[in-house]
Each structure stands twice: as C-alpha cells, then as structure tokens.
Amino acid sequence: MPLGLRGKKKARSKDVSKLMEGEPISQSAGSAQSLPLELQPKPRLVFHTQLAHGSATGTVEGFSSIHELYAKIAQAFDISPSEILYCTLSTPKIDMERLLGAQIGLEDLIFAHVKGIQKEVNVYKSEDALGLTITDNGVGYAFIKRIKYGSLMDSEKSVCVGDHIEEINGQNIVGWRHYDVAKKLKELKKDQSFSLKLIEPKKAFEIQPRSGAGKTTGGKITSGKGTLRLRSKGPATVEELPSESDEKAIKKVDSLLELYLGIRDIELATTIFQAGKDKLNPDEFAVALDEGLGDFAFPDEFVFDVWGAIDDAKQGRLQ
C-alpha cells in the first residue's frame, strides 16, 4: 500500500479546511515542556478530503490507521467505508505514484476513490505471465497498480489500472493481501481461460451534483514537511520525510518487490529498508527479515538484491 510523499505546496481556496493545531491549553509553555514527552500536548492534525469523482471538501482527524481513516472519510460524506477502494494524495486522478499508504504528508489533500461500475472479463491465458502488478489498500481490497505494456493483459482494454479485483474464477478474494492475489494469478494454468470480476473507481461523469457532500470545519493552518505515519498497532506519529538517498533506496526495494513477487507496496518497501538500514551484513539483514516479515518467505535472490540497494544507499552510490 502507497506513502504520502508530498510535492510543492499549492494555493488553496478559502472554503478548504485547514490543517489545525490543538486549542490553547491553560499551562504555560515552560510547564508543558517540563512534562514527560508522552504527556505533553500534541498538535491536532486535521486533513482536507474530497471524493475523487467530485464533492465538496470535508475534513478528517483523530485516526491512527488506514481502517480508521476510511471510516472518518465515510462519515464525512455519508457513505459506507466499504465503498472506498483507495485514496490518492493531492490529486483526484488514478495516479499509482500518489497512492495513500501508511504515511500522509502534513499538507496533502486526501482524495477517496469509491466503487463505480462492476465488470467481468474472460481471458485466455496464452502466456505464463499476465503482466499485472498488484497492490492493496490495507483494508482488504486488492487492485491493479500496473499493466505491463505489450503483455497479455495489456490487450484486454476493459481491464484498467486502478480496477479492484473482487473475484478470480468465481472465488471472492476480498480481504486477501496483494501478495496472495498475485500468487493466485501466477498459479492460473496456461492455455486455459479464467475470469475476473472487477470494480472500477467511479468517474466524474457518473456523479450527482457536487452540492451537499462533505462536512467542513475551520481552523488555523500549520506548515510542515513531515508525514503522519499510520500504524496497525499504537498511535500515529509525525515523522520527518526520508532523505533523498533513503527515498531512492526505498523505491528500488519497491521495484524489486514487483520483479520478484508481482506486487508494489511502498510501505512494505520502507519497512524492509528500515530493517536493514542498521545491519552490518546480509546475514544480519536476512535474520531481521525472517523475524519481522517471515510470512512473506522472501527468496534468497530478493534478499541479496535488496541488501545491495541498502548498501548502495549507505555508501551514496544510488543515482
């Protein structure tokens, strides 16, 4: 699932809700600083959100996970959380490079892509590789992140980047992780037909009038170039953006995930990179992966190539 790396700050209209700090407290600054870190008052982070196919602007706050964020967005627009396929950051387009993962830039606008038209396709598997790269939204929906040019699935024009895969050969796969879906697709037998039930995100021409959607609040803006990191366990935390070298290494790891596993997941790539950043050799790194991410059963070749990317980042060799 995708990060919240932000681009340049853009001007915003007055009716857009702002990123807000917490309300003033009665303690003086000195007394607040004397409190333990965990007891010090924390800023109240409020993010703007819209439905990608068109809506008024709403706000969301007080979430620590993707699941909680989707629930907040659904509440803002009076829809079910299950209607949300995925979110993009600072663009309403189906831009797979701007997918919301476990990190959100503090100035990012969150666009929610909701369920649109359902479609079913039947494909004859004439080649071993389908040419699909799969990712997921972190709450049970796998979808197509990339279609390789010239591949078998590239010839199926009704199958598009951003489509949610709901069923494979009649088997419902809602709730599956991206690597399980990729494995299922890879295991489909050659020279046989298979079916996919897909749901594409709602497009702008399908929408109702924009008025009446969303609930907004006001507040003061705070600037910042960090990210809000969402966690499956524990509270969300505000962190600095990764360095340029680290960012290049993480993108390299993400590319290796696609090469070896057929998935794209920038958050998983970040976790893998962080697991090896302080290790001294590939053996220590392999042990760390087994302890923290053993369920993935990464092949040795993948581990070796990832260690190479991490070592290149440490030595400043990544271009």
Side-chain angles (χ1 to χ4, degrees), residues 185-220:
L185 292 171
K186 186 176 182 180
E187 291 174 347
L188 293 172
K189 294 182 178 180
K190 186 180 176 181
D191 297 326
Q192 292 187 12
S193 295
F194 65 94
S195 65
L196 296 176
K197 183 176 287 187
L198 308 168
I199 300 177
E200 65 180 45
K202 183 175 285 190
K203 305 295 195 302
F205 58 79
E206 299 175 47
I207 66 171
Q208 299 297 320
R210 293 187 176 214
S211 60
K215 304 168 186 176
T216 62
T217 61
K220 296 189 297 181

Side-chain angles (χ1 to χ4, degrees), residues 118-187:
Q118 186 179 84
K119 53 194 178 183
E120 187 164 351
V121 295
N122 292 286
V123 182
Y124 180 76
K125 190 177 181 182
S126 58
E127 303 173 13
D128 289 324
L130 296 177
L132 295 180
T133 298
I134 309 300
T135 191
D136 64 45
N137 66 356
V139 291
Y141 288 170
F143 55 94
I144 299 169
K145 186 170 185 180
R146 181 176 296 176
I147 301 175
K148 184 178 180 180
Y149 178 76
S151 67
L152 174 64
M153 296 306 296
D154 187 40
S155 64
E156 296 290 333
K157 300 307 179 184
S158 61
V159 179
C160 303
V161 169
D163 284 355
H164 161 50
I165 304 175
E166 187 177 46
E167 292 183 5
I168 301 175
N169 281 337
Q171 181 178 9
N172 190 297
I173 61 166
V174 173
W176 289 26
R177 290 304 312 273
H178 47 27
Y179 50 85
D180 290 322
V181 177
K183 182 180 179 182
K184 176 74 173 179
L185 292 171
K186 186 176 182 180
E187 291 174 347

Side-chain angles (χ1 to χ4, degrees), residues 20-24 42-45:
M20 298 191 295
E21 291 185 331
E23 298 180 359
K42 295 179 176 59
R44 175 183 168 213
L45 300 176

